[in-house]
């Protein structure tokens, strides 16, 4: 049977992030963790393929132990099983180091036909881990996939549409391969009652660096090629000319002033 | 690191034999870095059917050397092959820095390469500088939804790699007298990966696809109230010879299409004139437009953050200002 692995990330809900103006860091108090919103689309894609062709869908995350919650949410949506990669040694990993741990875990899980990653995680916001994993596993890659046209199990190929700035490419990839998917691909479903029950009882194996025989030199902050050296809160003000409209006369005045301004800057 | 890595590389992109603007933008970034470390600036093109004359424009825009690998097998962007080719070049020539566009292809190729070269890669940089003490590349990017700017280094691995948002820099003016060299390298057959096939390509025809090429952008947000009202924006845009953009809120509501979205998770634009109507100016929206040359904002809320970046702001109702502005511009034309 088709085996699909979906790497998902647990991220802070950053919709209305509060920043500490002093330290320039995120105020983490009371911030809830959620499944990376863009990973719901890869989960949905896996579940649609499962409905059509039959499949087992495995979700995988690297993170602190409480990220099991993200895996359980995916299982509540209909995924079959989950693994969590959790170890102090992973803390502070950049995309290279994250992908190193994840692709080794995927190799350990083994026998996969398809890996579906999100376009990017809303916290790190790099979109690098998916392509990193494909590169590490040496399996074919298609990014920005907006549609799966056809999965041919007999010939072991998948045909997909990939978005680029100039238009849409149709690509055929042999299995196993990795796709990163974009929002347009599907509309994520909600968890079901049956799924929620399963999520409650399911065992989630924890994999550590030692279980996977990983090279400690490559892990966490120490094993990350990149380093954050400083952060600051961006501040921008242009102190532009302002007009306020209170009645109809003001509308004409404001528009006059705007047109004069655009003329002066030779924009009209 | 036994041997010292030298030179700054930028990855050029072409379509149908024509270089894309991002190729020149990267050279503007690369030129100042190369000058700061007293190294050469190299533009690398992988592709097909790009003429010598076209390649010369890379030299005119700042490159000292153009490395061109062209072959029918590089006509389509197949990441596995492109990655093999770039890694092969890097291993032979050992660059210090590689910059690529944060385009869909650049964001695919660079992480593929970084993984195998075992080096760092920083996505979507908005600022690049050389640390004058260590010579390291300082890579600044927005993080946590644009709420902070993080500066990142790759201290112990080479090359140092970064992607840069298209339209976040102006190309240098072309200088036809600049000297430089073009080196054509033939594609080694063993680098071609035939596993993935491009079956077809359908060009985007909708005109919002070239939002980034437009000198004037008229953008609407949730304050436009409903999709039909975007017609007013189209009317204004066509009078100004511009295109219509939108905030994410407007895109999510279906009033505009995703290619029109400006901001952190949409496009970065650098027009001469950006007019924001009914847009609050969330940090994620500003991330995509705050470097526009001139910004005009119209919003009913005097405290809207968009006014912070505006050169000209009108606190008022878009539905009063727009019709007046449109009719005045029409009068002016006739
Ligand atoms: C990870 C992440 C990525 C994001 N990426 C993007 C992105 O790429 N682009 C983006 O735009 N957003 C992005 N956002 C969303 C962003 O945070 C804001 O929610 C969004 O920009 C708000 O859109 P808006 O300004 O249209 O709506 P609102 O914030 O609701 O603002 C509407 C404005 O219209 C004004 N208004 C109302 N009526 C009128 C009227 N009659 N005339 C004039 N003004 C009026 C109001 O005063 C208000 O200021 C992102 C968010 C996250 C978390
Ligand atoms: N810690 C993680 N655990 C599992 N998957 C991850 C992790 N980080 C990133 N990913 C996957 O990589 C994609 C891109 O993430 P990023 O490169 O961090 O923007 C996500 O949508 C996930 O599919």
């Amino acid at each position: 049977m088709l085996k699909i692995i979906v790497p998902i990330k647990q991220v802070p809900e950053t919709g209305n992030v509060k920043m500490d103006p002093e330290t320039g860091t995120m105020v983490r108090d009371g911030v809830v963790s959620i499944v990376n919103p863009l990973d719901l689309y890869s989960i949905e894609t896996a579940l649609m393929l499962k409905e059509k062709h039959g499949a087992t869908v495995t979700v995988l995350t690297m993170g602190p132990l409480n990220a099991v919650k993200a895996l359980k949410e995916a299982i509540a949506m209909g995924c079959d099983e989950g693994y969590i990669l959790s170890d102090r040694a992973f803390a502070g990993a950049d995309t290279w180091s994250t992908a190193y741990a994840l692709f080794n875990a995927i190799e350990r899980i083994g026998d996969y036909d398809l890996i579906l990653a999100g376009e990017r995680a809303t916290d790190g916001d790099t979109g690098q881990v998916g392509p990193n994993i494909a590169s590490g596993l040496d399996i074919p890659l298609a990014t920005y996939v907006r549609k799966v046209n056809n999965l041919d199990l007999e010939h072991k190929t998948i045909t997909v549409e990939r978005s680029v700035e100039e238009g849409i490419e149709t690509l055929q990839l042999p299995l196993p391969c990795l796709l990163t998917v974009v929002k347009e691909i599907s509309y994520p479903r909600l968890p079901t009652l049956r799924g929620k029950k399963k999520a409650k009882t399911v065992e989630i194996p924890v994999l550590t660096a030692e279980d996977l025989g990983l090279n400690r030199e490559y892990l966490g902050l120490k094993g990350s090629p990149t380093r954050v050296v400083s952060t600051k809160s961006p501040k921008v003000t242009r102190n532009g000319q302002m007009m306020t409209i209170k009645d109809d006369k003001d509308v004409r005045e404001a528009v006059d002033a705007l047109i004069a301004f655009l003329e002066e800057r030779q924009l009209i | 690191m036994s041997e010292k890595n030298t030179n700054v590389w930028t990855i050029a992109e072409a379509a149908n034999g024509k270089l894309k603007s991002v190729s020149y933008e990267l050279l503007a970034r690369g030129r100042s870095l190369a000058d700061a470390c007293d190294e050469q600036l190299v533009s690398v093109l992988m592709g097909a059917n790009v003429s010598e004359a076209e390649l010369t424009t890379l030299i005119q825009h700042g490159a000292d050397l153009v490395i061109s690998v062209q072959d029918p097998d590089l006509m389509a962007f197949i990441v596995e092959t492109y990655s093999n080719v770039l890694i092969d070049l890097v291993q032979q020539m050992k660059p210090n820095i590689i910059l690529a566009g944060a385009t869909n292809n650049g964001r695919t190729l660079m992480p593929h390469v970084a993984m195998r070269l075992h080096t760092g890669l920083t996505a979507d940089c908005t600022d690049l500088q050389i640390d004058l003490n260590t010579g390291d590349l300082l890579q600044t990017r927005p993080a946590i939804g644009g709420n902070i700017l993080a500066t990142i280094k790759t201290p112990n691995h080479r090359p140092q790699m970064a992607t840069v948002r298209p339209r976040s820099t102006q190309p240098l003016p072309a200088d036809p007298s600049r000297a430089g060299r073009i080196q054509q390298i033939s594609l080694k057959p063993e680098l071609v990966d035939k596993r993935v096939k491009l079956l077809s390509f359908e060009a985007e025809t909708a005109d919002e696809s070239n939002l980034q090429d437009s000198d004037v952008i008229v953008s609407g947000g949730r304050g436009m109230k409903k999709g039909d009202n975007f017609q007013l924006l189209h009317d204004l845009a066509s009078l100004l010879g511009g295109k219509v953009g939108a905030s994410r809120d407007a895109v999510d509501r279906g009033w505009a299409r995703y290619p029109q979205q400006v901001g952190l998770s949409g496009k970065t634009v650098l027009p001469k004139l950006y007019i924001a109507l009914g847009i609050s100016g969330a940090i994620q929206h500003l991330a995509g437009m705050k470097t526009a040359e001139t910004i005009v904002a119209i919003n009913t809320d005097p405290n809207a953050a968009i006014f912070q970046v505006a050169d000209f702001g009108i606190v008022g109702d878009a539905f009063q200002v727009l019709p007046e502005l449109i009719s005045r511009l029409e009068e002016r034309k006739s």
Side-chain angles (χ1 to χ4, degrees):
Chain A
M1 193 166 35
L2 189 68
K3 182 158 174 177
I4 306 175
I5 298 181
V6 187
I8 65 171
K9 187 172 188 191
Q10 177 169 278
V11 299
E13 215 312 38
T14 51
N16 24 34
V17 186
K18 299 246 170 355
M19 301 300 296
D20 183 330
E22 306 263 285
T23 60
T25 54
M26 210 175 103
V27 179
R28 292 201 180 255
D29 294 344
V31 176
V32 267
S33 292
I34 55 170
V35 176
N36 171 30
L38 293 174
D39 291 345
L40 297 176
Y41 299 90
S42 45
I43 294 170
E44 176 63 32
T45 308
L47 295 176
M48 279 166 24
L49 291 171
K50 174 179 166 175
E51 279 162 2
K52 193 155 171 205
H53 302 277
T56 54
V57 179
T58 304
V59 276
L60 167 68
T61 195
M62 175 179 127
L65 277 176
N66 69 22
V68 161
K69 202 178 128 235
L71 298 174
K72 293 208 167 189
E73 196 173 320
I75 290 169
M77 287 170 73
C79 297
D80 298 286
E81 54 174 19
Y83 290 88
I84 181 162
L85 265 163
S86 200
D87 195 315
R88 278 240 180 89
F90 296 144
D94 72 356
T95 52
W96 190 95
S97 176
T98 301
Y100 169 71
L102 285 170
F103 91 69
N104 277 284
I106 289 170
E107 252 170 5
R108 169 64 56 89
I109 295 167
D111 285 335
Y112 56 88
D113 300 290
L114 193 58
I115 302 172
L116 297 173
E119 181 194 341
R120 48 170 91 193
T122 55
D123 57 349
D125 210 24
T126 76
Q128 289 176 177
V129 171
N132 284 156
I133 293 174
S135 177
L137 291 171
D138 192 19
I139 57 172
L141 163 69
T143 51
Y144 303 96
V145 170
R146 64 193 286 275
K147 196 170 166 212
V148 173
N149 287 348
N150 182 36
L151 175 65
D152 182 341
L153 284 174
E154 192 190 333
H155 299 97
K156 295 210 140 235
T157 59
I158 189 163
T159 310
V160 301
E161 289 182 9
R162 170 176 187 257
S163 292
V164 288
E165 287 78 0
E166 295 78 22
I168 294 159
E169 298 175 351
T170 304
L171 297 171
Q172 188 188 67
L173 298 87
L175 303 179
C177 63
L178 186 146
L179 311 176
T180 73
V181 306
V182 295
K183 263 187 183 179
E184 285 135 286
I185 200 159
S186 60
Y187 192 78
R189 67 192 66 194
L190 294 171
T192 61
L193 205 59
R194 215 173 102 220
K196 280 186 185 162
K197 271 195 192 136
K198 174 162 184 197
K200 254 191 203 131
T201 53
V202 71
E203 283 281 334
I204 309 267
V206 181
L207 301 171
T208 63
E210 194 171 322
D211 294 337
L212 295 170
L214 298 177
N215 182 343
R216 297 227 157 228
E217 294 291 300
Y218 293 171
L219 301 182
L221 188 61
K222 195 177 80 175
S224 292
T226 61
R227 286 273 179 292
V228 176
V229 290
S230 65
T231 58
K232 62 171 196 264
S233 302
K235 278 213 178 51
V236 272
T237 53
R238 294 197 182 191
N239 292 320
Q241 183 180 343
M242 293 288 294
M243 303 281 294
T244 301
I245 293 179
K246 293 197 194 70
D247 58 36
D248 285 354
K249 187 169 108 309
D250 294 344
V251 176
R252 258 166 286 129
E253 262 173 35
V255 170
D256 279 340
L258 174 56
I259 287 181
F261 169 83
L262 294 175
E263 277 172 345
E264 192 201 321
R265 292 214 173 182
Q266 299 183 333
L267 290 163
I268 50 173
Chain B
M1 277 178 294
S2 44
E3 275 169 80
K4 193 172 177 301
N5 292 51
T6 53
N7 293 345
V8 178
W9 286 18
T10 62
I11 307 298
E13 286 191 40
N16 306 318
K18 287 280 293 172
L19 289 159
K20 296 191 212 168
S21 164
V22 70
S23 315
Y24 306 114
E25 294 162 28
L26 292 170
L27 286 171
R29 298 267 189 181
R31 191 65 260 168
S32 62
L33 301 177
D35 290 343
C37 14
D38 203 11
E39 287 174 359
Q40 295 233 306
L41 179 59
V42 181
S43 184
V44 178
L45 175 90
M46 295 173 275
N49 302 335
V50 181
S51 68
E52 192 94 6
E54 185 75 3
L55 293 176
T56 305
T57 63
L58 293 168
I59 296 171
Q60 294 173 354
H61 283 91
D64 300 310
L65 171 66
V66 175
I67 296 176
S68 155
V69 188
Q70 297 201 55
D71 192 280
D73 275 324
L74 293 170
M75 179 89 97
F77 172 79
I78 299 294
V79 59
E80 291 77 19
T81 301
Y82 271 61
S83 175
N84 289 341
V85 173
L86 186 55
I87 288 170
D88 187 54
L89 294 173
V90 169
Q91 284 169 343
Q92 288 173 54
M93 301 183 220
K94 307 214 176 330
N96 184 21
I97 293 172
I98 309 181
L99 309 180
T103 57
N104 288 17
N105 287 352
R107 295 172 123 285
T108 305
L109 173 63
M110 295 296 271
H112 202 279
V113 168
M115 197 70 202
R116 295 192 184 180
L117 289 175
H118 190 177
T119 190
L121 170 63
T122 306
D124 279 344
C125 294
T126 51
D127 190 46
L128 296 167
Q129 303 285 338
I130 299 292
D131 180 336
L132 292 174
N133 295 321
T134 59
D136 289 341
L137 180 65
L138 297 172
Q139 310 158 84
T140 302
R141 72 181 301 260
I144 322 188
N147 286 288
I148 64 166
L149 285 172
T151 299
I152 294 164
K153 275 214 275 200
T154 307
N156 304 317
H157 297 71
R158 291 294 179 270
Q160 309 166 83
M161 310 213 308
T163 61
V164 180
R165 304 214 90 183
R167 302 289 154 176
S168 62
T169 345
Q170 299 275 21
L172 300 169
D175 173 0
S177 66
R178 259 191 67 85
R181 209 156 53 81
I182 296 175
Q183 186 181 355
Q184 300 275 4
I185 295 184
S186 47
L187 174 66
K188 297 180 185 161
E190 67 271 22
L191 299 179
V192 178
D193 189 324
K194 300 251 183 204
R195 287 178 293 179
V196 179
K197 289 185 186 67
L198 175 68
L199 301 182
S200 63
F201 177 73
E202 195 189 318
E204 170 92 64
T205 48
D207 76 340
E208 56 287 0
S209 67
N210 45 12
L211 192 67
Q212 290 173 308
D213 293 329
S214 188
D215 281 340
V216 177
I217 296 174
V218 178
S219 276
R222 189 150 73 107
M224 291 305 294
K225 306 275 192 289
K226 56 179 195 221
D228 290 350
N229 293 335
F230 263 63
Q231 190 50 50
L232 288 168
L233 304 181
H234 284 281
D235 294 347
L236 178 59
S238 75
L239 279 164
L240 296 170
K243 298 265 153 67
V244 173
S247 72
R248 186 167 89 177
D249 214 286
V251 171
D252 285 351
R253 281 159 207 267
W255 302 348
R257 297 181 51 237
Y258 178 65
Q260 291 171 278
Q261 183 175 316
V262 173
L264 189 71
S265 48
K267 293 200 164 108
T268 303
V269 293
L270 186 60
K272 291 200 167 68
L273 174 61
Y274 189 90
I275 306 184
L277 294 120
I279 292 179
S280 61
I283 193 117
Q284 296 89 353
H285 188 79
L286 299 185
M289 46 63 75
K290 66 167 190 268
T291 49
E293 275 176 42
T294 296
I295 298 174
V296 172
I298 299 164
N299 194 306
T300 42
D301 173 6
N303 298 319
I306 192 80
F307 289 131
Q308 302 271 304
V309 298
D311 299 285
F312 193 102
I314 299 179
V315 180
D317 187 340
F319 300 103
Q320 284 187 304
V321 177
L322 263 176
E324 178 74 15
L325 180 60
I326 289 168
S327 76
R328 291 289 307 279
L329 287 171
E330 274 167 349
E331 270 168 36
R332 237 181 129 265
K333 277 229 156 133
S334 58

